[in-house]
Amino acid sequence: MDHKQFAEVPQIWKPDAHHGKQVKKLKKIIEDKYKVEFGDYMDFHKWSVEHLCEFWAEMWDFLGIVSSEKFETVIDLNVPMSDSPKWFEGAKLNFAENMLKYRDDRIALVQDACSPNGRAATDGGKGIDVLPAYLQTLTLIELMQEISQ
């Protein structure tokens, strides 16, 4: 699949007012930096697909990813997605450092797993696995308590 074909993938999630706070912040940063204006979420999504490298470079910065070496390239768009191109080539980072960098009540770990019965739901034959809402989140303090037991 060519990266431009992502625009043709059916939308499976759209942020609502509750979930959209961080998306709106990122959207504003990109609008200001790239002198663009997004009318709605789908405009933002379209831009992110058409400007894949710029979007993911902004996402890296927005998330505050800590690295000893920043990436040289986000992704080589000449490599088809079906060939699994390398992302953020040249970056050197410590995953644990990034997960555990906030020593407060912010979420440090999100576990996205199958439902308690171990089975994923399906989308009715469209080829997308849809997991029931079974997420476990832990703050750093909760994580430390879990592993100390």
Side-chain angles (χ1 to χ4, degrees):
M1 172 183 277
D2 181 89
H3 77 280
K4 300 244 184 224
Q5 291 174 307
F6 287 147
E8 299 165 15
V9 174
Q11 182 179 354
I12 60 172
W13 179 81
K14 182 178 178 183
D16 59 23
H18 172 71
H19 290 104
K21 195 181 271 188
Q22 293 300 316
V23 172
K24 287 175 187 171
K25 272 187 186 177
L26 176 61
K27 190 174 116 187
K28 176 79 170 113
I29 290 168
I30 291 174
E31 284 178 329
D32 292 347
K33 182 173 181 178
Y34 295 92
K35 308 291 187 238
V36 294
E37 190 173 323
F38 306 116
D40 60 11
Y41 175 77
M42 288 311 295
D43 289 342
F44 183 45
H45 174 266
K46 184 175 188 276
W47 186 91
S48 74
V49 171
E50 292 173 352
H51 301 87
L52 204 60
C53 294
E54 293 88 345
F55 174 78
W56 285 103
E58 293 302 326
M59 183 64 83
W60 176 285
D61 292 338
F62 183 74
L63 294 173
I65 294 177
V66 178
S67 62
S68 57
E69 291 184 36
K70 194 166 181 178
F71 57 88
E72 295 159 13
T73 56
V74 172
I75 187 172
D76 181 352
L77 295 176
N78 294 313
V79 178
M81 290 295 170
S82 59
D83 291 344
S84 301
K86 292 181 181 178
W87 285 79
F88 302 107
E89 195 155 13
K92 294 190 189 281
L93 59 99
N94 180 309
F95 287 102
E97 178 181 15
N98 281 279
M99 286 175 44
L100 307 174
K101 66 184 173 184
Y102 299 113
R103 304 206 182 298
D104 55 21
D105 63 350
R106 286 184 253 190
I107 295 171
L109 178 67
V110 177
Q111 178 183 351
D112 182 359
C114 291
S115 63
N117 68 11
R119 287 184 255 151
T122 61
D123 65 348
K126 295 178 188 159
I128 302 169
D129 284 338
V130 179
L131 296 175
Y134 181 70
L135 292 177
Q136 179 183 11
T137 61
L138 295 169
T139 65
L140 179 58
I141 293 166
E142 292 167 335
L143 182 60
M144 300 292 260
Q145 289 170 344
E146 283 280 324
I147 57 178
S148 69
Q149 295 178 8

